[in-house]
Amino acid sequence: MKPKHQRLVLAGAAVAALGIAAALALPALQDQAAYFYAPADVVAKGVAPGQAIRLGGLVEKGSLTRSADGLTIHFRVTDRLESVPVDYTGIVPDLFREGQGMIADGRFDADGTFKAETLLAKHDEKYMPPEVAKAVEKAEAAAKARPEKPAP
């Protein structure tokens, strides 16, 4: 076989291999396309227990409690539309507190509590992670669009 034909066959094989790899990878990544979840997304779509996700929102005021071990905290994350319970064991960032934006990586357990493995807090008073800001704006817009219920 001539060198020119060998190069064409090799290039064709490489393109075919890339196509097969993409065909196998895309279905596996389809559910992970929305890697970041706000509490309203979790409630609306549901997240399978054990699925690794990134959860973000605001730490709900009045929800932060500490366990006796001093390392475990329990709190609720909200986007002002829905809220989700979170447990985290480890050293908490200095800027982490109620009413502030945060993002956590972790998984939901079978009881519906998010078990955070890492916890990130905003770095100054004006900053809010872009994902959290978008989720809060979306939730506020949805809340305004809802018809108000008449008082009983």
Side-chain angles (χ1 to χ4, degrees):
M1 190 182 281
K2 292 182 180 180
K4 181 178 180 180
H5 291 122
Q6 286 178 341
R7 285 191 300 266
L8 286 174
V9 169
L10 184 60
V15 169
L18 284 173
I20 291 170
L24 293 173
L26 287 177
L29 295 175
Q30 188 173 13
D31 290 337
Q32 291 298 322
Y35 182 63
F36 174 82
Y37 289 83
D41 297 332
V42 170
V43 172
K45 297 176 187 173
V47 176
Q51 178 184 351
I53 67 164
R54 179 171 279 183
L55 177 70
L58 302 172
V59 179
E60 192 172 276
K61 292 188 179 194
S63 70
L64 182 62
T65 60
R66 297 187 183 274
S67 294
D69 66 6
L71 288 176
T72 303
I73 60 170
H74 313 279
F75 59 96
R76 295 187 69 82
V77 174
T78 183
D79 57 5
R80 296 188 180 130
L81 189 58
E82 300 287 346
S83 67
V84 176
V86 178
D87 291 344
Y88 174 72
T89 301
I91 298 173
V92 178
D94 290 337
L95 296 173
F96 180 84
R97 59 186 171 270
E98 293 179 348
Q100 300 297 321
M102 56 74 55
I103 294 179
D105 292 318
R107 305 167 193 280
F108 279 94
D109 64 10
D111 297 330
T113 300
F114 187 74
K115 302 293 183 180
E117 297 163 4
T118 60
L119 191 61
L120 305 170
K122 66 181 197 159
H123 63 78
D124 68 21
E125 290 301 316
K126 296 180 183 176
Y127 176 77
M128 183 179 291
E131 297 94 345
V132 174
K134 287 178 187 174
V136 169
E137 288 173 10
K138 181 180 166 186
E140 288 175 347
K144 289 178 184 176
R146 273 191 209 164
E148 293 188 28
K149 295 179 183 176

